[in-house]
Amino acid sequence: MTHPLLDLTPLTAAHFANIERRVAALLSTAQDVVITQGEALLPLEGCIRGVAGPDTTALNVITGPYGQTFGDWLRDCGARVVDLAVPYDAAVGADQVAEALAEHPEISFVSLVHAEAATGNTNPVAEIGRVVREHGALFMVDAVASVGAEPLLPDAWGVDLCVIGAQKAMGGPAGVSAVSVSERAWQRMAANPRAPRRSYLSLLDWKERWIDAGRTALLHTPAQLEMVALQACVERIEDEGLETVIGRHTRAAAATRAGVKALGGGFAPYVREARHAAPVATTLRAPEGVDASELVARALAGDPVLPLVAGGGALAKEMIRVNHYGTAAAGSTVHSCLSALGAALTDLTGRSVDPDAARRAATAAWERPAG
């Protein structure tokens, strides 16, 4: 018996290259795009290990947990790391980056997360990119949580290494990712004697054996199901229109933020300023005296498919995350999450909330014209 997920026609090099071109079009980039056969941590680590070594001084911007990971990788490569950490409930400013670069003119690499799904903030990559390019450093951006949820223009913003994943706003698979690579970044890797070679982490292998060879023979057997799923999610974005997809995420974030303020009961947005809040997910502060993990568990007991998660690690007791991305970037999902959180709070504590006010506020924010 045949099975639609098991008996697929083998993925050819031409088919793989076509998917690559469509991902490049999604990013409006003329840079080389490499699709990597694994979750986005694979190309993120590959980028850092490809360009960093003992002669590297790196500015690592920390606005969430992934920034911590990047710093660990950089240090493991022997790089000297200057950490620029800001509170998780805010964004980093281009002026802060400029000040750090001025204090450390030897910095040659800057790493930054565009949108932090884990903490709900987003950073002004366009403004930061101008500062980094003026300084002359190489610029790596983790755009896994921002692609599809907000504008992302690596070429126009001076991003040398832009890593994306399909599993969030793109609404696609988690097991495949991609990175756009500038010519400057390729040159830095080629000059780095510590850059991975003959390794799953090696981007240079893909350049030399795939891109430079005319994209005629794949390095290894591709993850076919993930590649087909990536093609499907790109096609869905193309059909809906990227601006429309971004608009849905923007409205979902605005509706969640407005709705939770009207809900009452002590809930509040975790990211204090709306302009610093990421469209991909909205993080909330649990009401005082209430454990966020218990509250989320109670909400999910009534509807286990809701995109509600308690914060990770030290934030587990105080943060709630509403993951309104992909197909969940919808008004109905926002209303369901607000209703479930309000009911869970009342069940746990007896506190009163106003679900009708929350629904009205969320609906008004959803319907408000952008800009």
Side-chain angles (χ1 to χ4, degrees):
M1 295 178 64
T2 62
H3 192 288
L5 296 181
L6 299 178
D7 302 305
L8 298 171
T9 303
L11 192 73
T12 65
H15 191 175
F16 191 102
N18 182 58
I19 298 172
E20 219 170 44
R21 285 192 293 271
R22 294 171 82 165
V23 171
L26 182 70
L27 297 176
S28 298
T29 183
Q31 298 176 355
D32 291 325
V33 168
V34 177
I35 296 179
T36 48
Q37 307 294 285
E39 200 271 339
L41 284 173
L42 172 66
L44 285 165
E45 184 173 359
C47 287
I48 286 176
R49 296 196 183 277
V51 302
D55 60 343
T56 304
T57 299
L59 176 64
N60 181 47
V61 181
I62 302 174
T63 58
Y66 284 105
Q68 298 280 5
T69 299
F70 299 163
D72 292 340
W73 286 337
L74 286 161
R75 290 181 177 91
D76 191 50
C77 292
R80 176 178 175 242
V81 181
V82 177
D83 285 326
L84 172 56
V86 302
Y88 286 1
D89 59 2
V92 69
D95 57 337
Q96 293 172 285
V97 173
E99 182 178 348
L101 293 173
E103 290 178 1
H104 301 277
E106 69 277 16
I107 287 172
S108 60
F109 179 77
V110 177
S111 52
L112 172 74
V113 178
H114 188 182
E116 291 271 9
T119 52
N121 56 31
T122 190
N123 294 301
V125 176
E127 291 85 349
I128 293 170
R130 284 195 293 271
V131 170
V132 174
R133 180 53 63 94
E134 288 174 3
H135 181 80
L138 211 64
F139 190 25
M140 185 192 87
V141 171
D142 172 351
V144 174
S146 59
V147 61
E150 55 187 299
L152 176 62
L153 299 168
D155 291 14
W157 296 349
V159 180
D160 295 288
L161 295 157
C162 183
V163 176
I164 67 167
Q167 71 268 32
K168 289 188 168 64
M170 288 178 67
V176 66
S177 47
V179 53
S180 65
V181 187
S182 73
E183 185 57 35
R184 292 196 324 146
W186 284 132
Q187 291 172 3
R188 183 76 65 87
M189 288 184 212
N192 182 10
R194 294 194 172 205
R197 297 291 190 121
R198 295 170 296 283
S199 164
Y200 215 57
L201 286 172
S202 177
L203 295 176
L204 281 173
D205 286 355
W206 280 96
K207 176 171 173 51
E208 295 173 358
R209 297 169 55 194
W210 169 247
I211 297 171
D212 292 348
R215 296 182 171 89
T216 57
L218 291 163
L219 274 63
H220 45 69
T221 302
Q224 183 151 336
L225 287 174
E226 284 77 8
M227 289 297 295
V228 171
L230 174 61
Q231 175 178 292
C233 84
V234 172
E235 288 175 348
R236 188 163 62 181
I237 292 171
E238 291 170 347
D239 290 342
E240 185 178 356
L242 180 58
E243 289 187 6
T244 302
V245 175
I246 290 173
R248 279 197 293 107
H249 287 83
T250 300
R251 293 200 303 275
T256 305
R257 195 173 181 90
V260 80
K261 289 180 178 179
L263 182 63
F267 289 105
Y270 184 83
V271 178
R272 299 184 187 279
E273 296 187 46
R275 64 192 179 96
H276 293 161
V280 70
T282 298
T283 47
L284 311 174
R285 294 180 187 276
E288 186 176 355
V290 178
D291 187 301
S293 296
E294 292 181 12
L295 189 62
V296 168
R298 182 64 63 94
L300 292 178
D303 190 348
V305 302
L306 288 175
L308 294 171
V309 185
L315 299 174
K317 292 185 178 297
E318 64 181 270
M319 179 192 284
I320 301 160
R321 193 169 80 231
V322 183
N323 291 326
H324 43 66
Y325 51 70
T327 57
S332 58
T333 302
V334 172
H335 290 312
S336 295
C337 289
L338 293 172
S339 177
L341 288 172
L345 180 65
T346 299
D347 289 345
L348 280 174
T349 68
R351 299 183 194 180
S352 62
V353 294
D354 194 339
D356 290 335
R359 176 174 288 273
R360 289 193 300 271
T363 298
W366 179 273
E367 294 176 348
R368 191 173 299 126

